[in-house]
Amino acid sequence: MLRFWANLLGNQLVWLCAVAGAGRGWQWPALLAAALYVGSQLLTSPQPKLDLRLMLLALACAWLVDASAAASGALRYAAAPLGWAPPPWIMALWAAFAMTLTTSMRFLQRHTALPALFGLLLAPLAYLSAARGFDAVRFNAPAWQGVLLLGIGWSIALSLLCQAARRGTHPTPQPPLAGASP
């Protein structure tokens, strides 16, 4: 249970460091927080190889989702050296998020439609929060286009990530029922 809470709260702390830093034009808070968080999660993971594979897949998804959104002109990231490419702080967020897929967000693996729904509805809310609360993201008018683009991208990416997590997760052996004979 401690690992679950450390995983959930640690990811939220990475998000806060990333968007607060990006709003000030800084990369280092996201990179430092993500490095510490990802390192701690990999060291304590029962399946570190799976978590590492999920992180690499998440980084590829970041390039597709966030680079597409930035290149489309629908939004602009603060502290983005290349403009069209996802800035390092966004990459750090995706890497950190990948660490939650086998722990605090494991419930997303139970249903095939749930990751798509979460990606479509909840991921854009994180971007809107980063925009309104920290000025880490700026949506160009009309803002709904950027929100929709991110929602669709995250819907596909999260479905893919959860499918990969499901395939790579080793089933936990269940103890026999009390009094049942083998």
Side-chain angles (χ1 to χ4, degrees), residues 33-126:
L36 292 171
Y37 174 72
V38 168
S40 72
Q41 294 305 299
L42 289 173
L43 285 173
T44 61
S45 174
Q47 298 178 56
K49 288 180 183 177
L50 174 60
D51 285 329
L52 189 57
R53 283 194 309 266
L54 290 171
M55 184 180 73
L56 294 174
L57 181 58
L59 292 172
C61 289
W63 270 98
L64 295 173
V65 173
D66 287 288
S68 297
S72 75
L75 57 91
R76 209 176 70 219
Y77 297 104
L82 297 178
W84 58 270
W89 66 270
I90 284 283
M91 301 300 285
L93 285 175
W94 279 83
F97 179 74
M99 295 296 109
T100 67
L101 295 171
T102 59
T103 306
S104 60
M105 296 292 171
R106 185 183 183 118
F107 69 94
L108 290 173
Q109 296 178 34
R110 292 188 195 130
H111 306 283
T112 54
L114 199 54
L117 187 62
F118 262 61
L120 183 65
L121 300 176
L122 297 181
L125 290 177

Side-chain angles (χ1 to χ4, degrees), residues 16 32 39 55 58 83 90 114-115 129 134 136 155 158 170 177:
L16 182 60
L32 177 61
M55 184 180 73
I90 284 283
L114 199 54
S129 297
F134 300 94
S155 179
L158 191 51
H170 303 297
L177 296 173

